[in-house]
Amino acid sequence: MIGVKICGINDPAGFDAAVGAGADWIGFVFFPPSPRFVTPHAAASLSARIHGGPLRVGLFVEPAPDVIAEALDRVGLDILQIYGAAEHLPAIRDRFGLPVWRAFGISRPDDLPDDPGLSGALVLEAKPPAEADRPGGNGARFDWRILRGWQAPLPWLLAGGLTPDNVATAIEEAGARAVDVSSGVERTRGVKDPAMIQAFVRAAKAAGISTDRSKRC
């Protein structure tokens, strides 16, 4: 089964669509330069629309611990997704007692991590363009085939440039067991499209079923 994360949720329609489609994780972006930024208060209001359901992931970029603490005071997060140096991850994990996912920018095989530092999972996406003002969520993709045969040190999610139309191909080419989408399910920048969310989850889950069947044949 393929795990699916819908990241950058910032309104009720997107939240409800992700829940209804069967997403495994919902991501809240606590990074102000992002068009998907939410305040801890807004994230808490969205999360309260349903008890249980997808796990809540908080995305932070080189955060001070107090920034994470402020978010956790408002909204119950299950996972922290961090863009930042490996040496900071143990302190974050130990202070907050939550799994930590570390994001990596990839452009060639040499970029694939073999010693990612202490974290619960990896999020692999394309390196940001030179003009980008944020490390992820840029809709860029890399050659997914370079992940074939990679001996991953931890569980990982494939991200970057995924859409309902290409996610099945990405899963097949990369051998991914989990995917993470943000801009690829938006009708305009920063605004999620419920129909695209539903189509993405459906395509990813169907691709996982097809892959599992082919392995049994």
Side-chain angles (χ1 to χ4, degrees):
M1 183 65 71
I2 299 295
V4 179
K5 174 171 171 268
I6 308 295
C7 196
I9 293 293
N10 57 9
D11 66 13
F15 182 90
D16 292 349
V19 172
D24 299 280
W25 303 281
I26 285 176
F28 297 119
V29 177
F30 300 108
F31 182 56
S34 171
R36 301 154 195 106
F37 169 70
V38 289
T39 65
H41 177 77
S45 295
L46 290 170
S47 186
R49 294 178 68 80
I50 181 174
H51 295 290
L55 297 179
R56 277 58 158 179
V57 182
L59 187 154
F60 301 87
V61 177
E62 298 180 355
D66 288 349
V67 171
I68 299 175
E70 179 185 0
L72 289 171
D73 283 343
R74 291 279 190 171
V75 57
L77 299 175
D78 301 291
I79 296 163
L80 305 176
Q81 180 176 332
I82 306 294
Y83 288 81
E87 59 265 26
H88 299 150
L89 300 184
I92 291 173
R93 186 208 62 179
D94 292 346
R95 174 168 174 175
F96 299 109
L98 292 174
V100 175
W101 292 358
R102 188 181 179 199
F104 276 87
I106 306 296
S107 64
R108 57 184 185 176
D110 289 349
D111 295 323
L112 294 171
D114 56 6
D115 182 14
L118 181 64
S119 62
L122 310 175
V123 180
L124 306 179
E125 61 188 319
K127 284 189 174 180
E131 69 277 8
D133 62 353
R134 55 192 187 276
N138 297 293
R141 55 168 286 187
F142 62 97
D143 184 354
W144 301 315
R145 294 170 297 181
I146 68 176
L147 294 169
R148 280 292 186 183
W150 174 50
Q151 298 299 308
L154 290 168
W156 54 278
L157 296 85
L158 179 65
L162 299 176
T163 69
D165 293 331
N166 70 17
V167 66
T169 299
I171 289 168
E172 179 181 3
E173 292 188 354
R177 302 305 300 166
V179 290
D180 182 348
V181 67
S182 186
S183 62
V185 291
E186 293 178 350
R187 61 177 177 267
T188 58
R189 189 169 181 260
V191 180
K192 294 291 186 284
D193 184 312
M196 293 179 71
I197 288 174
Q198 293 163 4
F200 184 91
V201 175
R202 185 167 56 248
K205 298 291 187 181
I209 292 170
S210 296
T211 300
D212 291 343
R213 285 176 177 169
S214 67
K215 288 179 178 177
R216 291 196 296 266
C217 294

